[in-house]
Amino acid sequence: MIPFHRPSIGEEEIAEVVDTLRSGWLSTGPKVKRFEQLFSAYVSARHAIAVSSGTAALHLALEAIGLARGDEVIIPTYTFTATGEAVVAFGARPVLADCRPDTLNIDATTVEPLVTPRTKAIVPVHIAGQACDMDPLLALAGQRGLPVVEDAAHAIPTTYKGRAIGSIGDLTAFSFYATKSITTGEGGMVTTEREDLADRIRRMSLHGLSADAWSRESEQGTRFYEVLDFGFKYNLTDVAAAIGIHQVPRADEMWRRRCEIAASYTKAFSGLDTCTPPREASYGTHAWHLYIVELHPPALGHGRDEVMRRLRARGIGTAVHFVPLHLHRAYRQAFGYEPGAFPVAEQIFARAISLPIYPSMTDADVADVIQAVRDTLEEIRR
Ligand SMILES: Cc1ncc(COP(=O)(O)O)c(C=O)c1O
């Protein structure tokens, strides 16, 4: 069986977690600080604030730009619900945009017609680990005076025109969920160049207190604190950061292996008339968090789910990314979205399957996946 995902946890991560457990300091402390330093250096961001999830990172980023009830935020419909949920948490409206058929990302042409006087931010999502075309988006945001909050849950490491995702928009939210390119089990990070936003996020991630728990209890820090705002409990634990400390230095090596797997898949599937491999934009490098194949109608005779079922029967785990937000009941009921509204995202959803892509896959695993996909697509078109 080749599962859809298996995290890559080494002996160093395990030893560091054990060390943390023995240290007597389990919550936010020195390991979180170290993880933040390593991560900010890795993505060349001035500030990095570690939090408990990618969703918390998005929530805090939107809080920092002052999102409020009645505001609108432009997001893609082709994403995970966390992107929209963070907007709805403020009583704001997620204004959905369709995606491009090639990169599966939003761009300035899909976003521009949606800007209204109530728009408060644009949230591009770097789907699968491929950057959105940021320059036109940043130009549009600049003209309209809108902050750009990037959902970079998939984008470690991703570059756009030579720059790492994490230092481009006003704020960038990363996820370290178990399936992500680097993981802490659950966890997230917000990066920003702006000190005022970093200060706000740090404070709001821990109850709106005037100082964080570590400095409160360290010898140098004061033991007194004041509640300056009504914040959240979104801090990361040292137990989780202990894993992250050893994932960051391995991130490039793990990425290189995912690139090799992606190259093998693309080479194998390029000649087939039954599917299209993911298309890479020339402006950046792809993190290959996900490898999303689009099936063509002859291979879809029995539907995409039947392809997945047959692959599972051959021992290959696959996944669907993503059910567009406007097709979910919660988004339809709350915001009146209807099926048919975003044809590109709907077509991709109907045709896409995500194949296993993670560093511990062997060459034999990759060859097995390729064979199983080829055979299944051939078999199903008959
Ligand atoms: C596009 C996107 N944004 C945000 C998130 C949320 O991340 P987390 O699970 O760490 O809260 C995910 C998680 O899978 C995601 O795929």
Side-chain angles (χ1 to χ4, degrees):
M1 179 75 199
I2 301 170
F4 175 66
H5 185 75
R6 220 186 284 124
S8 288
I9 300 295
E11 288 307 316
E12 286 168 320
E13 283 90 328
I14 293 169
E16 194 77 44
V17 169
V18 172
D19 178 70
T20 310
L21 297 177
R22 292 211 165 103
S23 75
W25 195 284
L26 304 185
S27 188
T28 310
K31 306 237 165 159
V32 167
K33 281 274 175 290
R34 179 90 192 106
F35 181 40
E36 289 176 342
Q37 286 161 354
L38 286 168
F39 193 82
S40 64
Y42 186 63
V43 301
S44 307
R46 189 160 297 151
H47 303 281
I49 304 102
V51 294
S52 53
S53 69
T55 309
L58 283 168
H59 198 170
L60 287 163
L62 293 173
E63 197 284 332
I65 60 148
L67 188 63
R69 181 166 298 280
D71 290 340
E72 295 176 355
V73 177
I74 301 171
I75 67 170
T77 189
Y78 189 72
T79 184
F80 185 56
T81 187
T83 320
E85 179 189 319
V87 172
V88 177
F90 293 90
R93 181 184 175 88
V95 174
L96 304 180
D98 209 347
C99 60
R100 295 174 56 102
D102 49 4
T103 60
L104 318 184
N105 283 328
I106 59 166
D107 69 11
T109 60
T110 54
V111 170
E112 186 163 20
L114 303 173
V115 178
T116 75
R118 282 198 293 274
T119 308
K120 195 66 186 258
I122 301 170
V123 181
V125 183
H126 307 299
I127 289 294
Q130 171 148 257
C132 297
D133 192 1
M134 291 303 292
D135 279 349
L137 276 172
L138 291 167
L140 172 66
Q143 281 159 18
R144 307 297 176 102
L146 297 171
V148 172
V149 175
E150 292 168 65
D151 181 337
H154 304 174
I156 308 172
T158 296
T159 61
Y160 176 74
K161 298 189 178 173
R163 289 170 70 191
I165 293 297
S167 59
I168 297 178
D170 297 272
L171 292 148
T172 308
F174 294 92
S175 165
F176 309 125
Y177 176 65
T179 58
K180 297 300 193 287
S181 309
I182 71 172
T183 186
T184 57
E186 296 280 1
M189 190 81 76
V190 189
T191 61
T192 180
E193 299 306 289
R194 279 179 51 184
E195 191 160 354
D196 58 331
L197 296 177
D199 288 348
R200 175 79 186 170
I201 288 166
R202 204 172 284 288
R203 175 193 299 172
M204 295 303 275
S205 72
L206 196 63
H207 301 302
L209 303 185
S210 55
D212 66 27
W214 191 31
S215 59
R216 221 161 69 226
E217 310 243 351
S218 73
E219 277 177 34
Q220 302 86 0
T222 165
R223 283 181 177 276
F224 299 100
Y225 63 90
E226 199 183 359
V227 177
L228 301 173
D229 240 302
F230 299 102
F232 309 97
K233 187 66 167 61
Y234 278 165
N235 54 309
L236 189 72
T237 68
D238 264 22
V239 179
I243 306 172
I245 285 172
H246 295 282
Q247 292 268 295
V248 177
R250 292 177 52 220
D252 281 347
E253 174 200 321
M254 294 194 287
W255 172 64
R256 279 192 290 273
R257 180 61 188 150
R258 290 196 308 276
C259 289
E260 283 172 9
I261 298 167
S264 301
Y265 283 165
T266 297
K267 188 160 169 250
F269 303 141
S270 290
L272 303 185
D273 65 348
T274 42
C275 70
T276 305
R279 279 153 287 182
E280 284 181 75
S282 56
Y283 52 60
T285 53
H286 200 310
W288 294 115
H289 162 55
L290 298 173
Y291 189 94
I292 303 174
V293 177
E294 202 184 322
L295 306 181
H296 288 183
L300 284 171
H302 303 275
R304 186 264 329 273
D305 296 351
E306 178 60 15
V307 175
M308 294 177 74
R309 199 192 60 71
R310 291 188 187 206
L311 286 170
R312 193 164 52 244
R314 289 172 185 263
I316 312 291
T318 58
V320 174
H321 296 96
F322 286 90
V323 183
L325 298 184
H326 71 281
L327 299 182
H328 288 287
R329 186 165 49 185
Y331 288 85
R332 294 203 320 264
Q333 285 180 349
F335 304 108
Y337 285 114
E338 299 276 2
F342 303 100
V344 180
E346 284 176 41
Q347 174 164 315
I348 290 165
F349 163 58
R351 296 180 172 189
I353 57 172
S354 296
L355 301 180
I357 183 162
Y358 44 92
S360 64
M361 285 179 78
T362 63
D363 290 348
D365 291 338
V366 175
D368 284 352
V369 173
I370 289 172
Q371 197 58 49
V373 170
R374 278 172 176 273
D375 291 351
T376 303
L377 294 185
E378 206 38 55
E379 184 184 293
I380 209 161
R381 75 197 294 179
R382 285 191 209 124

